[in-house]
Amino acid sequence: MAKKSASDTKHPLKRFSDEQPASYKEPAPFEHKGADANGHENPLHSMMQRFDKAAEILQLDPGIYKYLSTPVKCVIVSIPITMEDGSIEVFEGYRVIHNDILGPSKGGIRYSPDVNLDEIKALAAWMTWKCAVIDIPFGGAKGGVRCDPRKLTQRQLESITRRYTANMLDVFGPDRDIPAPDVNTNEQVMAWILDTYSMHMKRTEPGVVTGKPLVLGGSRGRREATGRGVMHSTLCGLSKLGIAPNKATVAVEGFGNVGSISAASLYEKGAKIVAISDVTGGYYNAKGIDIDAAIKWSDEHDHLLEGFAGGEKISTDELLTVKCDVLIPAAREDRITDHNAAKVQAKLIVEGANGPTNAGADSILESMGVMVIPDILANAGGVKVSYFEWVQNRMGYYWDLETVNKRLEDAMVLAFDRVYENSLKHGVSLRLSSYILAIDKVARTLKLRGIYG
Ligand code: GLU
């Protein structure tokens, strides 16, 4: 049999020589393409299209444009793990610091089979804008590991998390870069990060992550914060549209942490949740879905809605276009696109997920008069309470749930009002208004700090 050489395309060494030649430079200004072969828009492209529009309105200095469209740092690491049968598997992990002008960088870590560098770069930039909009002294970052957590054992997940953290010891830190949960990561994953980091530092360092278990210095209300923030944003939007919460019908895409809490807290306010969905499909009931029953079902069935009898089965695509007042996409990027935006029947879209609407859909929804509360405002409750958690860690003094929830509500309402007023001032959508406020704040701070070097 012929011996394989490094020039074979399948040779494991080949990918390193191909993908990272000596001249490979990271970070570089954001380069982004439109859609991929499957028609999925590159989230970086979506982010940059909005950034460009806001930059034009702000008449951003070309140098500052260049600065803000270039990530500060992109780190790619390999994560070798010994599997249960003794074989070795190597996963790829990422952390992108988009910007640290306002303070230490902040953002979640996601575990998913389709994680890639462009997605993480876009998500990191969205964190910069989100932290600026919700008014916290943090920059933006995002991390991810390309893996399928549903196919991994708990031990493998722990090993991946610890090795990823060990590889990121120079990046993470309570005053440098602070991770948090995101898609497919949770309090347990944050506890492993805290422990690994603390072991290396030789002291317990609770402020290195947020979204931790309470007993390790987590904040009351952090787990529900993103969903509750989505609820507050929805109430703000409904009041501008003159719709009473108890008269509103709502469809929620995604039934993970954000989707289920958004649905439950709006249900509590009297809204009728007519459709919900997760990876197993959509469930529609014009009379309203019993959300407590749906949560119970999902909790008892491996966090899946499959088999839930409280609604007629529809597809996840159909959910986006059902008749309702409010649509809450709380699953993944690129769900409302130029292909299906015209079919949306909701009057209000509240983005629980990051990047669920692509840039092409923006103008279609705008021309239809649909109010869109953008991700960087609507789901900013999560990172706001992450900030509260970090503050509590530094004080060593912990607030009660009422205090956390009240401060979250005040912050969400204040941010919405600011974005709304600014949208009237510039005659632009709430999305563009949020970008304008965020970019302007970061750009002004950058001017004050100046460029070192
Ligand atoms: N992953 C969440 C987000 O996208 C939270 C980030 C954080 O708390 O740092 O906003």
Side-chain angles (χ1 to χ4, degrees):
M1 203 172 78
K3 232 174 136 195
K4 280 195 174 178
S5 79
S7 61
D8 286 348
T9 45
K10 288 234 170 75
H11 193 287
L13 292 176
K14 178 77 172 139
R15 23 192 301 262
F16 293 104
S17 56
D18 265 0
E19 290 176 10
Q20 295 186 337
S23 61
Y24 183 72
K25 271 203 220 114
E26 279 289 5
F30 282 150
E31 278 171 19
H32 52 95
K33 290 195 215 86
D36 67 12
N38 301 320
H40 296 304
E41 183 154 298
N42 180 336
L44 197 48
H45 181 67
S46 262
M47 191 281 295
M48 281 308 292
Q49 279 184 283
R50 280 81 174 245
F51 178 84
D52 284 350
K53 278 193 189 150
E56 200 183 314
I57 293 173
L58 285 166
Q59 299 193 321
L60 207 62
D61 170 272
I64 293 190
Y65 176 94
K66 216 184 290 172
Y67 192 112
L68 298 184
S69 53
T70 309
V72 165
K73 196 184 283 180
C74 302
V75 183
I76 306 177
V77 292
S78 67
I79 305 169
I81 296 302
T82 310
M83 306 303 271
E84 261 44 321
D85 63 0
S87 64
I88 296 171
E89 196 59 68
V90 184
F91 298 90
E92 195 156 80
Y94 309 88
R95 186 73 179 169
V96 173
I97 313 289
H98 168 256
N99 194 276
D100 55 2
I101 283 295
L102 294 183
S105 51
K106 188 81 192 81
I109 295 171
R110 58 176 55 188
Y111 288 175
S112 169
D114 46 16
V115 159
N116 61 74
L117 187 59
D118 270 2
E119 180 194 30
I120 299 295
K121 280 182 181 174
L123 290 159
W126 277 323
M127 286 308 301
T128 301
W129 314 137
K130 196 186 294 186
C131 291
V133 167
I134 202 64
D135 206 17
I136 51 181
F138 285 147
K142 202 79 174 195
V145 177
R146 198 188 300 153
C147 65
D148 187 349
R150 287 204 172 262
K151 295 197 180 127
L152 295 166
T153 64
Q154 192 74 349
R155 188 202 63 81
Q156 290 162 350
L157 273 178
E158 178 173 352
S159 301
I160 288 175
T161 305
R162 288 189 183 276
R163 185 63 184 256
Y164 172 78
T165 307
N167 283 342
M168 296 293 176
L169 284 179
D170 293 340
V171 179
F172 295 163
D175 294 306
R176 279 200 302 255
D177 177 44
I178 308 135
D182 199 77
V183 175
N184 291 332
T185 55
N186 56 17
E187 291 178 2
Q188 176 61 77
V189 173
M190 298 308 115
W192 290 326
I193 295 176
L194 180 155
D195 185 67
T196 309
Y197 185 86
S198 299
M199 287 294 142
H200 283 270
M201 296 303 141
K202 306 205 182 302
R203 59 168 188 272
T204 299
E205 195 58 88
V208 71
V209 280
T210 60
K212 309 175 279 290
L214 265 189
V215 70
L216 280 171
S219 175
R220 292 184 179 83
R222 172 60 186 87
R223 195 188 302 158
E224 298 79 16
T226 312
R228 289 188 66 83
V230 167
M231 175 266 289
H232 291 305
S233 298
T234 306
L235 297 184
C236 289
L238 284 174
S239 101
K240 294 291 177 204
L241 295 174
I243 302 172
N246 62 358
K247 293 274 177 310
T249 54
V250 182
V252 183
E253 189 210 21
F255 212 64
N257 173 275
V258 181
S260 63
I261 305 285
S262 305
S265 45
L266 281 164
Y267 182 64
E268 230 176 70
K269 299 280 172 198
K272 195 197 276 183
I273 316 296
V274 292
I276 55 175
S277 72
D278 69 5
V279 286
T280 68
Y283 305 80
Y284 175 79
N285 187 341
K287 293 201 186 93
I289 290 172
D290 179 343
I291 293 299
D292 295 334
I295 290 179
K296 188 161 178 277
W297 181 272
S298 157
D299 283 349
E300 286 168 0
H301 294 83
D302 202 17
H303 300 287
L304 293 174
L305 286 168
E306 183 80 85
F308 176 61
E312 159 202 342
K313 194 94 190 260
I314 57 172
S315 74
T316 47
D317 285 345
E318 281 167 330
L319 179 135
L320 301 171
T321 57
V322 295
K323 193 167 163 34
C324 60
D325 298 313
V326 185
L327 172 62
I328 301 180
R332 289 298 294 258
E333 297 107 70
D334 201 29
R335 296 291 295 137
I336 304 168
T337 68
D338 13 6
H339 299 297
N340 62 3
K343 290 192 235 146
V344 167
Q345 300 196 58
K347 304 175 184 79
L348 173 64
I349 296 178
V350 186
E351 296 183 337
N354 292 311
T357 308
N358 80 8
D362 282 353
S363 51
I364 301 172
L365 295 168
E366 228 178 305
S367 69
M368 288 159 62
V370 179
M371 178 189 274
V372 180
I373 308 184
D375 43 11
I376 56 172
L377 169 62
N379 70 40
V383 76
K384 186 77 188 187
V385 176
S386 274
Y387 169 61
F388 294 162
E389 182 173 328
W390 181 82
V391 168
Q392 292 171 78
N393 292 152
R394 298 178 83 96
M395 289 198 297
Y397 175 75
Y398 291 85
W399 312 346
D400 58 28
L401 180 61
E402 220 174 65
T403 304
V404 172
N405 282 344
K406 177 75 178 86
R407 288 179 177 170
L408 169 65
E409 177 177 358
D410 291 349
M412 293 306 299
V413 173
L414 186 68
F416 180 90
D417 287 346
R418 250 195 231 133
V419 169
Y420 191 84
E421 287 306 313
N422 188 56
S423 80
L424 296 180
K425 179 176 147 199
H426 288 281
V428 296
S429 65
L430 296 181
R431 186 185 313 280
L432 204 45
S433 167
S434 306
Y435 274 74
I436 291 171
L437 286 178
I439 294 169
D440 185 47
K441 180 175 180 184
V442 181
R444 277 188 292 114
T445 314
L446 170 61
K447 275 193 200 146
L448 281 172
R449 288 182 66 153
I451 306 282
Y452 178 58

